[in-house]
Amino acid sequence: MQKLLIANRGEIALRVIRTCKEMGIATVAPYARVDKDLLHLRYADETICISEVDYLNRESLITAALVSDCEMVHPGYGFLSEDSMFCRMVEQNDLKFIGPTEDQIASMGNKANARAKLNTLGLQSVPGSCDAVSNLQDALNIAREVGFPVLIKAAFGGGGRGIRVVEDESSCTVAFAEAQSEASSVFGDNTVYIEKFLDNARHIEVQVLGDGHGGAIHLGTRECSIQRRQQKVIEEAPAPNVPQQLLDNLCDLAVSAVRKMKYRNAGTLEFLYQDGEFYFLEMNTRIQVEHAISEMISGVDIVRLQIETAILDRLTLTQADVIFSGCAMECRLNAEDDEYRPCPGVVANINFPAGPGVRVDSHLYNGYRIPHQFDSLIAKLVALDTDRDRTVQKMRRMMDELSIEGVDTNRNNLIQVISSDQFRNGDVHTGFLDQLKR
């Protein structure tokens, strides 16, 4: 297989192109006309304009793949990577989908169902409903059983959308209606479920890859607790300040579940950690935004492994081949103001950090106009060093070197976090940013 269509844009599209070039695989980049100045379009072997604004149209992407004689489709991360219908359409047209099966995407995409399924495979989920909750009375009964505060969450949610924190019974009625309404408008399905709100828990995940036949490996853990509005801002690998035996056990449990599922390709199992216990949260059936830090500590190119697994129908690595070293950290640079509002504009006088152990994944360049139609993520700054203290110091130095004019970014917020004593001590949790702002 020698040709691949990238059904995505921006940083992840450029990331896939780079690995494909190293593998001798030609790339095709479909794009929307409003996005015609994207950097990755300069490096793709072919480009195809498929619309004025929408680069996510399934039919147009399949047509682009067929007319350009592609054999594979890589969805990157985001909408299409977790769209079971898109996976089905790709494979019905005899194209190789670089990701899980249609059934696996659908099964894990419904997070209420995923909780139930993974419970049967040995993973303890956050206390809450065992299934979808369809009416307010059931929501109240479950909330009383697990104890307030609780989360009402969209079953097909993601990106921090369709979530409401409910502190007590009096606020449950409004929150339930709001969660259902947002779930319906954003995800096209108003199904919700209830989860105990674990105050100040940590968000820890395990990167896995499966061959689709019962074989699987992991690439260690990631700490993703620094979040704003349930969206990750800073990640690191491995998770700090957790006994190694507990992390090893978590990875073993994750791999065991993936093997039983006969899971195919890359995925991530996410957990909440509190009081020495791990609780399964959800599974993302795709490569993650934060995959770079797993690559840095393992030396594994996850995109290459994704493509190889899809082509060869087997993993090209065993667990024994994966050797972990050092600590890696990623800061997500977003074009936004201090209130997290997107700030599109024209980039000027950009200077990215460099040096040993420094990686920057970005599609920015001087003169690039950041469009308002798409996500505000504009760069991922990644540091690697021998231990966490040195990695934090390196990231602080990287932030000093970073400069971008023309658009507002969250650079100052990132500096505030990594400079705080609490963060430097590894005392992190999902409520960290809210407490820091106070």
Side-chain angles (χ1 to χ4, degrees), residues 71-375:
E71 299 143 312
M72 299 175 281
V73 174
H74 196 303
Y77 49 67
F79 298 106
L80 293 177
S81 65
E82 294 182 297
D83 184 340
S84 60
M85 185 181 296
F86 183 61
C87 174
R88 182 196 317 156
M89 291 173 63
V90 168
E91 297 188 335
Q92 283 177 341
N93 283 276
D94 296 324
L95 299 165
K96 185 74 70 174
F97 183 77
I98 310 299
T101 67
E102 172 195 346
D103 289 344
Q104 288 167 348
I105 294 172
S107 176
M108 293 298 103
N110 185 327
K111 293 174 173 55
N113 290 347
R115 282 165 51 88
K117 182 176 181 62
L118 270 297
N119 280 348
T120 67
L121 299 181
L123 298 180
Q124 174 185 215
S125 62
V126 179
S129 56
C130 299
D131 211 334
V133 179
S134 58
N135 62 74
L136 176 61
Q137 189 56 55
D138 286 344
L140 282 168
N141 291 339
I142 294 166
R144 289 167 185 151
E145 182 180 343
V146 301
F148 289 96
V150 298
L151 292 172
I152 302 176
K153 304 178 73 173
F156 294 91
R161 306 297 298 276
I163 299 175
R164 293 296 184 276
V165 180
V166 184
E167 298 289 348
D168 50 45
E169 287 195 28
S170 63
S171 56
C172 195
T173 301
V174 173
F176 187 78
E178 288 179 345
Q180 282 193 317
S181 177
E182 185 172 18
S184 179
S185 63
V186 177
F187 307 110
D189 191 302
N190 73 344
T191 306
V192 297
Y193 63 102
I194 309 294
E195 217 174 59
K196 174 69 177 174
F197 179 56
L198 300 181
D199 192 24
N200 295 337
R202 293 172 59 183
H203 187 133
I204 294 174
E205 58 190 32
V206 180
Q207 173 72 63
V208 295
L209 291 109
D211 61 10
H213 307 290
I217 62 171
H218 70 83
L219 298 182
T221 60
R222 295 190 290 251
E223 172 73 64
C224 304
S225 296
I226 307 299
Q227 303 177 3
R228 52 106 166 115
R229 297 175 181 170
Q230 286 81 47
Q231 287 191 298
K232 301 163 190 173
V233 177
I234 298 176
E235 303 100 346
E236 56 184 291
N241 295 348
V242 180
Q244 188 59 48
Q245 186 61 52
L246 284 182
L247 294 180
D248 291 342
N249 290 343
L250 180 68
C251 291
D252 289 344
L253 284 171
V255 168
S256 175
V258 168
R259 284 175 175 157
K260 291 172 184 175
M261 291 169 60
K262 294 187 178 179
Y263 185 78
R264 185 183 80 182
N265 218 272
T268 296
L269 286 87
E270 303 196 348
F271 300 84
L272 291 181
Y273 176 66
Q274 185 165 295
D275 300 326
E277 295 286 341
F278 284 101
Y279 300 96
F280 173 73
L281 192 61
E282 64 183 43
M283 183 176 188
N284 289 311
T285 52
R286 53 177 167 81
I287 195 168
Q288 296 278 90
V289 174
E290 61 271 20
H291 73 275
I293 55 176
S294 295
E295 293 183 328
M296 297 291 270
I297 65 167
S298 68
V300 174
D301 181 333
I302 296 177
V303 173
R304 175 186 282 268
L305 194 53
Q306 280 190 291
I307 296 171
E308 288 176 343
T309 302
I311 293 174
L312 301 174
D313 199 30
R314 63 178 176 83
L315 289 170
T316 55
L317 291 177
T318 67
Q319 194 65 58
D321 296 322
V322 182
I323 308 298
F324 298 104
S325 178
C327 170
M329 184 171 295
E330 173 180 287
C331 286
R332 301 190 189 191
L333 189 70
N334 298 314
E336 61 187 23
D337 62 19
D338 290 340
E339 299 302 320
Y340 310 135
R341 291 178 296 231
C343 292
V346 178
V347 175
N349 297 324
I350 187 169
N351 182 69
F352 281 131
V358 171
R359 169 174 168 176
V360 178
D361 286 8
S362 177
H363 59 290
L364 292 195
Y365 58 88
N366 285 324
Y368 174 64
R369 179 180 293 278
I370 300 172
H372 69 271
Q373 292 95 337
F374 306 114
D375 189 81

Side-chain angles (χ1 to χ4, degrees), residues 354-415:
V358 171
R359 169 174 168 176
V360 178
D361 286 8
S362 177
H363 59 290
L364 292 195
Y365 58 88
N366 285 324
Y368 174 64
R369 179 180 293 278
I370 300 172
H372 69 271
Q373 292 95 337
F374 306 114
D375 189 81
S376 62
L377 178 67
I378 54 176
K380 302 186 306 191
L381 279 64
V382 184
L384 173 72
D385 217 310
T386 54
D387 58 43
R388 188 175 188 274
D389 286 342
R390 290 189 176 191
T391 300
V392 174
Q393 292 275 21
K394 179 166 290 184
M395 184 61 77
R396 185 65 183 84
R397 186 267 295 174
M398 290 168 61
M399 287 295 167
D400 288 340
E401 290 186 17
L402 172 69
S403 62
I404 298 176
E405 297 178 12
V407 295
D408 291 333
T409 73
N410 62 330
R411 173 181 174 273
N412 290 338
N413 288 337
L414 294 170
I415 291 174

